[in-house]
Amino acid sequence: MTQTPATAAVVQPDGEITLTVDGQIAIINIAREKKLNSFTIPMVEELESHLAVIDDSEDVRVVIVTSAGDRAFSAGADIEAFSRLSATRMWSTWIRRGHALFDKLAGLRQPSIAAIDGNAFGGGLELALACDIRVMAADAKVGLSELGIGTLPGWGGTDRLQRTVGVARAKRMIFTSLMVDAPTALDWGLVTDVTERSEVVAKAREIADQIATRAPIALQMSKQIIDGQSGQGLRLTLEALGSAASSATDDFVEGVSAFRNKRHPEFTGSFDDPASRAALHE
């Protein structure tokens, strides 16, 4: 499904989750086709590593998450992998790390797009829900099917799904393991775009290219504000924006200078003066 552009610089290509960077677009590809792109602990670790690279990048402006093959976007967690864990290890390793991983994806500075070019069940849908925008194949289905095997969504699905489609529809999907088709997903706001399977990645790239033309700092702040207003990390959003604003003042420059020179600061309440900012780095 995913073809790496000829100009792409491949970053950390080993393993079953790969990362390529093509200009300002990062492409994460889940490449475990024979197992329906289901997740194992090593794959969780690979994705953690890739997200750290993206988060640290000053060049990447948009992220696309896609998958290999034409059978599934992701079937979620590998049942064989987690069913062998004890209850304690299930909690300490599988659930907690999965939560942290998808929170990291959702909390990236850069907007992310899930290219759902096949069925997405369980953790596969939870992965897509952690992205900001979702493009879905017209013949695909999505759902949280965990109750069918005696467990429940464990990687943020109960929270993100109800915030996306509403409480009643989330309950309908989770309680009955309802598999939602593309027209319904679009109608419910679960996805933003539906297109033919062969065009899903291209559509995601089209949207990514549009986003990449926007002013990057304003774009990233917009994402954080929208997420904060919707209840996702409001405290952290306020702290981050407040810290960013205060660091753009002359008082910040004065405070750092006074600290360095072991004197009392003289604050003025004025905003950033290029001359004083330059002096900070002398």
Side-chain angles (χ1 to χ4, degrees), residues 6 46 178 233:
E46 288 166 10
L178 177 66

Side-chain angles (χ1 to χ4, degrees), residues 62-207:
V62 193
V63 181
I64 297 174
V65 180
T66 186
S67 59
D70 58 2
R71 298 170 62 200
F73 171 70
S74 175
D78 186 321
I79 296 176
E80 291 299 323
F82 75 76
S83 63
R84 291 191 290 266
L85 298 175
S86 67
T88 302
R89 289 287 291 168
M90 181 79 166
W91 167 76
S92 65
T93 300
W94 194 259
I95 301 301
R96 292 178 71 247
R97 289 194 69 174
H99 268 158
L101 175 67
F102 287 2
D103 285 348
K104 179 75 171 178
L105 173 59
L108 282 175
R109 294 178 293 111
Q110 303 93 336
S112 56
I113 304 169
I116 309 173
D117 40 9
N119 294 337
F121 300 149
L125 177 54
E126 289 174 306
L127 172 66
L129 285 167
C131 295
D132 298 298
I133 296 170
R134 287 167 289 280
V135 180
M136 184 175 175
D139 59 348
K141 291 186 177 182
V142 298
L144 295 180
S145 52
E146 289 87 347
L147 266 68
I149 60 169
T151 185
L152 63 145
W155 283 353
T158 56
D159 175 41
R160 291 192 175 98
L161 183 63
Q162 61 91 9
R163 281 196 277 108
T164 302
V165 303
V167 172
R169 284 170 172 164
K171 288 178 178 178
R172 173 75 168 91
M173 288 179 66
I174 293 170
F175 293 173
T176 66
S177 299
L178 177 66
M179 298 296 105
V180 173
D181 61 19
T184 303
L186 184 63
D187 181 56
W188 287 4
L190 184 52
V191 300
T192 59
D193 299 82
V194 170
T195 188
E196 294 304 311
R197 184 177 294 235
S198 61
E199 298 297 321
V200 169
V201 174
K203 183 62 177 179
R205 183 57 190 254
E206 176 188 332
I207 297 170

